Amino acid sequence: MSLTDFLSTETERFNAAHPRTLAFAAEAQTVWRGGVPLHWMHDWASPVPLYAERAKDATLWDVDGHAYDDFCLGDTPSMFGHGREELQRAIAEQAGQGVGFMLPTRSSLEVGQLLKDRFGLPVWQCATTASDANRAVIRWARAITRRSKILFIDGAYHGMVDDAFVVLKGGRIVHKTGLIGQVADLTQHSVVVPFNDLEALSQALQTREIAAVMLEPVMTNCGMILPIDGYHDRLRALCDETGTLLVYDETHTLSSGFGGYVHAHGLRADILTVGKAIAGGVPAAVWGVSAEVAARMDAAQAEIGPGASGIGTTLSGNALAMAGMKAMLTEIMTPDAYAYMQAGAESLVARLRAVIARHAVPWSVVHVGARAELVFAAPEPQNAERMRRALDPVLLKALHLYLINRGVLIAPFHNMMLISPKTAAEAIDRLVAAVEGFITEYKRFTSSPA
């Protein structure tokens, strides 16, 4: 027997249990390209994506009536739980008063102060997604430093930002596989170094051609990779030494604690971007800058003069997004919520590690705040090159489909699991039991004679 046989068995099980989902998927082929509104929805391990009926707290129901313990939570936008009444009230009230005016509101004043207090940077701007925020930040970084190059970390993802679609391959910077319709050579203005490689980072910055380093404080999009001791301190020192801006993308690491990873670990960002969960799933993102960066932005804009900047969209900072952010920052993303999430994640990690040890599989679990990641390698990799070797696509698909068939959802892209303030202890029990069941089945299928 093999993993292929295992997948065939699990596929048959899914198909038998999801007749309405299969019917909807067939009908969708007539109205959506590829059968889904966004092609990412194909990235689930199931034969077709589940059709969601509704979700509440940390449970999702599909159109076939199956309930799922949701550890994906929309890949972070619903990190604090689905259907939050606080968010519902705020959105409904604002919708009744208008959703967008192309004007600031009283709520925008409150939200700006809340962002300043929570994240520590004094001046903020809004975007509609983290992709938009990161694009704006890159443009401003180039404008105020008069440098053209941006340094990214190999394996990073910063949304639909063209400049970031580069990786290291055989030591060379190349476009990411699958990049569609790109006519510019991104490698001319994008520099890539491995995570945790301080020597490569230093060499790149010493050229003094880099406008900004953009990175996640913990890598979360190529499997989870933690920084080595002293990494961020040295990064900060190198940026100061070479006049390079330091940009942290907290879109995923917002789960690290109240104020995100940067605040929790006492890091100093020149610019900070946050998206996804900041408005509870209402499309919104924000980016904040230091007082020094704000002054340099003002000077650069004054020098350029009037005209369209090419930064911003009509929907950015709309009244509905502000209502969502205000509710999240005041009622939902609270210290108590984070404490619950972190305690749940610590329990999950300890129990998954116990399962791994009990079954003697060469896997590991990486953890930051409310986010945990099961990695098919031990010890856990410290850079993307090694992590890519561990992301066995067949094994990933087998695990994910097995979990779906047992009523558990984790993020479809790798093995990320999020704990929300609404995640019950019993749900964690079921997740751990499902992972242990998978390991037992995996060992049986892969060790049995053909």
Side-chain angles (χ1 to χ4, degrees):
M1 304 291 281
S2 67
L3 270 179
T4 302
D5 299 315
F6 181 82
L7 276 169
S8 295
T9 300
E10 291 299 317
T11 297
E12 291 173 4
R13 179 173 182 150
F14 179 92
N15 289 342
H18 296 87
R20 295 193 71 197
T21 284
L22 293 174
F24 284 1
E27 182 179 353
Q29 293 289 338
T30 66
V31 292
W32 294 110
R33 180 189 169 273
V36 287
L38 172 65
H39 66 273
W40 291 6
M41 295 177 182
H42 275 307
D43 289 339
W44 294 88
S46 47
V48 298
L50 293 170
Y51 269 72
E53 184 74 48
R54 58 190 173 90
K56 181 67 177 176
D57 296 336
T59 303
L60 181 145
W61 288 265
D62 69 16
V63 295
D64 288 287
H66 304 297
Y68 301 86
D69 294 313
D70 190 0
F71 294 92
C72 172
L73 298 167
D75 192 31
T76 299
S78 299
M79 180 170 66
F80 292 87
H82 297 288
R84 293 294 301 253
E85 293 178 3
E86 306 95 326
L87 186 63
Q88 180 181 343
R89 286 196 301 270
I91 290 173
E93 180 179 348
Q94 186 60 58
Q97 299 172 355
V99 298
F101 317 120
M102 188 74 164
L103 291 167
T105 62
R106 184 182 304 174
S107 288
S108 67
L109 288 174
E110 298 175 75
V111 169
Q113 187 63 51
L114 289 165
L115 292 169
K116 178 180 178 179
D117 293 345
R118 179 170 299 222
F119 297 107
L121 289 169
V123 182
W124 290 82
Q125 283 282 273
C126 279
T128 305
T129 68
S131 297
D132 295 334
N134 287 330
R135 276 193 292 261
V137 165
I138 287 171
R139 293 279 296 280
W140 276 113
R142 287 171 168 154
I144 67 179
T145 64
R146 300 179 185 271
R147 299 174 180 179
S148 67
K149 295 184 178 181
I150 306 295
L151 188 146
F152 299 100
I153 303 300
D154 184 31
Y157 177 75
H158 297 290
M160 292 179 62
V161 176
D162 283 4
D163 306 79
F165 275 77
V166 285
V167 295
L168 287 177
K169 185 174 183 180
R172 294 176 54 247
I173 302 172
V174 299
H175 290 182
K176 285 185 177 181
T177 302
L179 182 60
I180 293 173
Q182 180 55 250
V183 296
D185 182 0
L186 302 178
T187 67
Q188 296 300 302
H189 299 287
S190 295
V191 176
V192 184
V193 300
F195 195 53
N196 287 323
D197 190 335
L198 288 170
E199 182 178 354
L201 180 66
S202 178
Q203 289 178 357
L205 294 184
Q206 292 300 338
T207 66
R208 299 179 185 266
E209 297 176 328
I210 309 296
V213 176
M214 176 174 281
L215 79 165
E216 297 178 287
V218 173
M219 292 195 72
T220 65
N221 282 287
C222 184
M224 187 184 295
I225 307 174
L226 301 177
I228 59 174
D229 289 344
Y231 178 78
H232 286 295
D233 289 341
R234 181 59 180 150
L235 169 61
R236 179 70 265 181
L238 284 168
C239 286
D240 288 341
E241 178 186 331
T242 59
T244 308
L245 297 175
L246 179 50
V247 181
Y248 282 115
D249 181 347
E250 284 263 33
T251 297
H252 276 177
T253 54
L254 187 63
S255 61
S256 299
F258 189 81
Y261 189 98
V262 169
H263 179 270
H265 292 264
L267 307 185
R268 178 166 61 87
D270 294 310
I271 306 176
L272 187 75
T273 66
V274 184
K276 292 196 176 185
I278 194 68
V282 175
V286 293
W287 53 282
V289 301
S290 68
E292 179 187 354
V293 170
R296 294 174 71 183
M297 290 169 64
D298 291 344
Q301 190 154 36
E303 182 177 342
I304 293 168
S309 66
I311 296 173
T313 62
T314 305
L315 293 177
S316 298
N318 68 73
L320 193 67
M322 288 296 173
M325 282 192 276
K326 180 181 175 182
M328 293 299 296
L329 291 166
T330 58
E331 300 183 72
I332 297 175
M333 295 167 58
T334 65
D336 286 346
Y338 274 106
Y340 181 94
M341 294 157 70
Q342 290 171 343
E346 288 167 4
S347 172
L348 171 62
V349 168
R351 294 175 64 187
L352 286 176
R353 287 174 176 165
V355 168
I356 289 169
R358 187 157 56 245
H359 290 271
V361 288
W363 300 352
S364 55
V365 183
V366 189
H367 164 229
V368 62
R371 184 182 298 270
E373 185 102 20
L374 179 65
V375 179
F376 300 140
E380 59 269 23
Q382 292 189 340
N383 59 51
E385 180 184 3
R386 293 176 182 173
M387 183 63 82
R388 282 190 282 261
R389 298 175 196 162
L391 294 173
D392 181 331
V394 180
L395 184 54
L396 283 168
K397 185 172 183 178
L399 171 62
H400 285 238
L401 183 53
Y402 182 92
L403 294 180
I404 289 171
N405 282 339
R406 274 80 186 166
V408 177
L409 298 181
I410 65 175
F413 306 110
H414 32 90
N415 292 331
M416 186 273 289
M417 307 161 191
L418 268 172
I419 302 295
S420 85
K422 299 295 186 178
T423 302
E426 295 79 8
I428 295 175
D429 292 343
R430 289 188 288 269
L431 170 55
V432 173
V435 170
E436 184 155 27
F438 172 78
I439 293 174
T440 300
E441 289 295 299
Y442 164 70
K443 292 175 72 175
R444 181 173 70 84
F445 270 84
T446 56
S447 62
S448 298

